[in-house]
Amino acid sequence: MNKELLTNYLNVALETGADFAEIYYEKTKNTIFRLNDSKLDSIDTNDEEGLGIRVIKKDESYYTSTTNFDPENIEKTIRRLLKNIPVEKGRKVVLNELVDKRRKAQIPHDSFPVSAKKELLYKIDKIAREQAKEVVQVSTGIVESDKEFIIANSDSLLITGNSILTRIVATIFTEKNGTKAHEFVDYGKGLGYELLDEISIEDMIEKTTKTAVDKLAAKDFKGGELPVVIAPGFGAVIFHEACGHGLEATSVAPHLSVFSDDLGKKIASPKVTLIDDGTIEGAWGSSIIDDEGNPTQKNILIENGILKSYLVDHFNSKEMKQKINGCGRRQDYHYSTTSRMSNTYLAPGTDKVEDMIKSIKLGVYCERMSGGSVNPSTGDFNFAVDTARLIEDGKLKELLKGITLIGNSKEILKNVEMVSDDLKISAGYCGSKSGTIPVTIGQPTIKVSKIIVGGKE
């Protein structure tokens, strides 16, 4: 995509008198290595290249995409899109010089031998199987993604960026006397294979295998309204879903969020400071620029319980009368951007984990959260807890099964009673209006004074 062609496409898109036009070009390579039954099951590679065109006029956004890069086809594609837009006097744009915001991996995916990737997968499989006779299956894999993109828009911006993602995943399956269990673990960063210098594969898999074995003896639990302690890292999925989505302009601008009218108000315990930071070096959800070409930022959403800001993209900024803050994201060129989280976490506190446990006569320790759902207009949520332990008389006891957490976004924010200093962030994916994107979620260990814990009865 050269500057001359991009300028021409934008000027065609502006012929109807649009307020804003954008061209997004992307080239991506994704590779997934999978190992099952102690054998390399597959190596799947997907190369994709495409171009998206967005036009904004007044309070409407129009979007289309194509994979045919013939200049005549692209111009025809834009003109088909313009048929939906009322015609007024157009204008022309002159693009600035290209700004390069790409970054490089220390150990790129293509420079790390396939043999070494296979060796890593077999190593994971071997560690798990040798640790416990109850292990009946190990499913493990490596996910690689390399994306480069160019953004040109009617504000004269011409910029190029990229993303580099590497993720190691494993699920350990166990069985004993007809009882089955499993435990999942992953480690993902916005890095190449230098991420292997940050972790001990042995420790990660040994801990996961032990939990998978221990879960075979997990007990049923009655449930009720109880205090809970939520472990650091992926436990923050409950705040990502129940709170984070409600702070995205996508739901705030049309007043579909329970938090739409709460800016500047106290909505949480003073213990709660919630941050979304797309600038964290090497994090799974980080980038130098967002998918609208804006610099990513550290956005303080909630500070000491006070709602300070929302996540605002280009389209919603005018309606909300708030500044764009580097959160316009999309899965790929098939989707127009919208406001999305990147690396969202609860800031560390000063409370001690042992004090949290000691303070509870009967409660639940949520070690690993699973999937769930939330209604952003009411804040009501329901989340499954994949790994949980009983807290009884101030001590951690046996593992529990079938645990869910049921509550409301505003209630759980106000019921955060203690926050530790052991912040941990975990990689994952988030699905919303602009597709499925990589995000990290994180928190220190926290104590929630009360929440409905669902169990067997």
Side-chain angles (χ1 to χ4, degrees):
M1 286 290 118
N2 64 51
K3 183 178 176 179
E4 183 180 350
L5 281 174
L6 290 168
T7 301
N8 178 62
Y9 299 149
L10 283 171
N11 287 331
V12 171
L14 291 168
E15 286 180 1
T16 62
D19 300 314
F20 180 80
E22 174 192 78
I23 308 295
Y24 176 86
Y25 165 78
E26 172 197 300
K27 187 173 184 180
T28 301
K29 179 181 179 181
N30 296 312
T31 304
I32 302 176
F33 298 79
R34 296 185 181 90
L35 184 142
N36 288 297
D37 292 323
S38 301
K39 296 179 291 186
L40 189 65
D41 189 48
S42 63
I43 302 176
D44 297 325
T45 299
N46 177 46
D47 294 294
E48 197 162 10
E49 187 176 14
L51 182 129
I53 303 107
R54 178 169 62 151
V55 177
I56 298 175
K57 189 170 184 181
K58 296 181 179 177
D59 57 353
E60 295 292 336
S61 179
Y62 306 85
Y63 191 80
T64 190
S65 63
T66 182
T67 56
N68 182 341
F69 294 99
D70 177 74
E72 185 177 341
N73 169 72
I74 293 175
E75 187 168 330
K76 286 181 178 179
T77 300
I78 296 171
R79 293 193 183 280
R80 282 195 297 271
L81 180 66
L82 298 183
K83 289 180 180 180
N84 301 303
I85 305 174
V87 177
E88 295 178 26
K89 185 179 180 180
R91 61 188 177 96
K92 292 186 180 295
V93 65
V94 176
L95 289 173
N96 296 327
E97 292 303 311
L98 180 69
V99 177
D100 192 335
K101 291 294 182 179
R102 291 174 295 180
R103 57 190 177 84
K104 294 182 179 180
Q106 293 178 25
I107 307 176
H109 295 139
D110 290 344
S111 71
F112 196 70
V114 172
S115 59
K117 298 170 189 178
K118 292 179 181 178
E119 183 180 335
L120 175 60
L121 295 175
Y122 284 117
K123 178 181 179 180
I124 291 171
D125 182 83
K126 183 179 180 181
I127 292 169
R129 292 182 184 276
E130 289 185 350
Q131 183 175 337
K133 63 181 183 300
E134 291 87 354
V135 174
V136 294
Q137 178 62 286
V138 179
S139 177
T140 185
I142 301 171
V143 178
E144 301 175 351
S145 178
D146 292 276
K147 177 194 291 188
E148 295 207 357
F149 57 88
I150 299 172
I151 300 168
N153 69 31
S154 55
D155 292 335
S156 298
L157 180 72
L158 180 58
I159 195 166
T160 181
N162 70 330
S163 68
I164 304 160
L165 300 171
T166 312
R167 191 184 191 201
I168 301 166
V169 299
T171 306
I172 315 298
F173 298 87
T174 55
E175 183 175 358
K176 184 176 182 180
N177 299 328
T179 299
K180 298 179 180 180
H182 70 274
E183 182 73 352
F184 172 82
V185 69
D186 74 304
Y187 191 80
K189 296 296 289 284
L191 302 170
Y193 279 92
E194 61 267 25
L195 95 165
L196 292 174
D197 295 332
E198 299 184 354
I199 56 169
S200 166
I201 293 295
E202 290 83 358
D203 290 348
M204 185 173 81
I205 300 305
E206 286 174 2
K207 181 181 177 181
T208 304
T209 303
K210 183 180 185 307
T211 302
V213 172
D214 290 345
K215 287 170 82 169
L216 293 169
K219 307 293 184 182
D220 290 322
F221 186 67
K222 183 177 180 179
E225 188 175 67
L226 298 165
V228 300
V229 174
I230 304 178
F234 201 75
V237 68
I238 198 167
F239 293 98
H240 171 98
E241 294 290 348
C243 178
H245 280 299
L247 299 179
E248 293 170 336
T250 309
S251 57
V252 175
H255 289 269
L256 297 176
S257 168
V258 68
F259 302 108
S260 289
D261 300 314
D262 287 342
L263 194 63
K265 296 180 182 178
K266 182 179 179 181
I267 65 167
S269 156
K271 297 276 186 177
V272 173
T273 292
L274 184 69
I275 298 167
D276 186 87
D277 187 356
T279 71
I280 301 173
E281 185 70 28
W284 178 253
S286 289
S287 56
I288 297 175
I289 56 173
D290 69 3
D291 293 327
E292 295 183 325
N294 302 304
T296 53
Q297 296 179 202
K298 179 179 181 179
N299 295 304
I300 299 175
L301 304 175
I302 302 172
E303 186 174 30
N304 300 325
I306 307 296
L307 180 57
K308 291 290 187 176
S309 65
Y310 301 112
L311 295 172
V312 185
D313 61 303
H314 185 103
F315 177 69
N316 289 296
S317 63
K318 184 178 179 181
E319 170 72 19
M320 296 174 66
K321 296 181 176 60
Q322 293 191 30
K323 291 182 179 179
I324 298 166
N325 51 14
C327 65
R329 303 189 68 196
R330 68 177 102 204
Q331 177 179 323
D332 54 38
Y333 69 90
H334 292 102
Y335 298 87
S336 179
T337 57
T338 192
S339 55
R340 303 293 295 274
M341 287 173 275
S342 56
N343 307 302
T344 313
Y345 62 93
L346 287 177
T350 58
D351 298 305
K352 302 300 180 184
V353 177
E354 54 267 32
D355 293 334
M356 298 181 193
I357 303 299
K358 288 177 182 178
S359 70
I360 296 175
K361 184 172 179 59
L362 179 66
V364 173
Y365 177 70
C366 303
E367 194 168 312
R368 181 173 178 83
M369 304 296 294
S370 185
S373 61
V374 61
N375 182 338
S377 63
T378 64
D380 294 330
F381 63 79
N382 188 317
F383 284 90
V385 183
D386 194 48
T387 309
R389 292 184 183 273
L390 176 68
I391 303 175
E392 191 173 43
D393 296 326
K395 296 180 180 180
L396 282 176
K397 297 294 186 71
E398 67 267 19
L399 283 162
L400 305 174
K401 58 184 177 181
I403 299 298
T404 57
L405 298 182
I406 304 163
N408 179 272
S409 304
K410 288 194 170 183
E411 288 179 3
I412 193 171
L413 286 171
K414 291 176 181 177
N415 292 338
V416 175
E417 187 177 289
M418 302 175 78
V419 179
S420 183
D421 60 357
D422 55 347
L423 173 64
K424 178 183 176 184
I425 62 174
S426 300
Y429 289 97
C430 173
S432 188
K433 189 176 179 181
S434 61
T436 301
I437 60 171
V439 298
T440 56
I441 54 178
Q443 66 171 48
T445 303
I446 66 168
K447 178 190 175 184
V448 177
S449 60
K450 59 180 179 179
I451 192 170
I452 296 175
V453 178
K456 186 176 180 181
E457 300 178 24

